[in-house]
């Protein structure tokens, strides 16, 4: 009889442990959503969903390192770098630095980098990343 009680308690404990461990799935889903912002190379798209090309046909891009939140990418003519701070769906960028090559896309590049200063919120929908200032869409990227 004691053996039946021990086996029953052991079985019940295993069931409870398994049931409780499934709640970890929600955490991993949240971490996956957050991590999808980081580590991917996001390519800027225009109003017609075409990838924006810079000097020599290179994609205008953005990447955020998941380890140190350093931002890097190609702005149309120059490589740029910054740091990001994100909390929930809020995001901000530190002042942007870049290389100083001269090229025909300089005005477009300056506009793109200037808009990063205004970003305060982001959303990810599938393979699309949206940057907003409040409710106003500023930039759209795909990966």
């Amino acid at each position: 009889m004691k053996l039946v009680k021990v086996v029953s308690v052991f079985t019940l404990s295993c069931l409870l442990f398994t049931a409780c461990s499934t709640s970890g799935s929600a955490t991993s889903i949240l971490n996956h959503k957050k991590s999808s912002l980081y580590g991917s190379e996001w390519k800027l798209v225009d109003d017609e969903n075409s990838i924006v090309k810079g000097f020599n046909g290179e994609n205008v891009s953005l990447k955020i390192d998941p380890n140190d939140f350093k931002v890097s990418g190609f702005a149309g003519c120059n490589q740029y770098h910054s740091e990001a701070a994100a909390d929930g769906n809020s995001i901000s960028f530190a002042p942007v630095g870049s290389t100083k090559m001269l090229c025909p896309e300089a005005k477009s590049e300056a506009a793109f980098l200037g808009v990063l200063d205004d970003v305060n919120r982001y959303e990810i929908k599938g393979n699309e990343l949206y940057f907003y200032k409040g409710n106003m869409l500023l930039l759209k990227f795909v990966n």
Side-chain angles (χ1 to χ4, degrees):
M1 192 59 106
K2 263 188 163 178
L3 181 60
V4 171
K5 285 183 181 179
V6 169
V7 170
S8 296
V9 168
F10 177 75
T11 304
L12 183 59
S13 297
C14 289
L15 287 172
L16 287 173
F17 179 76
T18 304
C20 291
S21 68
T22 58
S23 66
S25 298
T27 302
S28 66
I29 289 169
L30 291 174
N31 287 339
H32 175 70
K33 179 182 176 194
K34 182 178 177 185
S35 68
S36 63
L37 172 65
Y38 306 103
S40 297
E41 181 176 38
W42 295 97
K43 295 170 277 302
L44 182 66
V45 294
D46 60 20
D47 293 337
E48 297 165 358
N49 286 326
S50 297
I51 294 174
V52 176
K53 303 286 185 183
F55 188 66
N56 288 337
E58 190 175 344
N59 298 330
V60 175
S61 62
L62 173 130
K63 185 174 184 177
I64 303 174
D65 188 298
N67 299 315
D68 56 11
F69 307 108
K70 299 239 186 253
V71 178
S72 62
F74 181 68
C77 182
N78 291 284
Q79 299 294 322
Y80 68 94
H81 55 357
S82 181
E83 291 184 8
D87 182 25
N89 283 356
S90 297
I91 191 167
S92 61
F93 295 94
V96 177
S98 68
T99 57
K100 301 294 181 193
M101 289 180 37
L102 183 61
C103 70
E105 280 77 12
K107 286 184 181 181
S108 299
E109 177 177 273
F112 167 69
L113 295 176
V115 168
L116 287 177
D117 288 337
D118 294 332
V119 172
N120 61 15
R121 185 171 71 83
Y122 77 94
E123 288 181 4
I124 296 175
K125 297 178 184 174
N127 71 333
E128 298 174 338
L129 168 63
Y130 299 89
F131 282 156
Y132 297 89
K133 179 177 183 178
N135 290 325
M136 183 173 63
L137 178 64
L138 299 177
L139 299 168
K140 180 181 173 184
F141 296 85
V142 296
N143 70 359

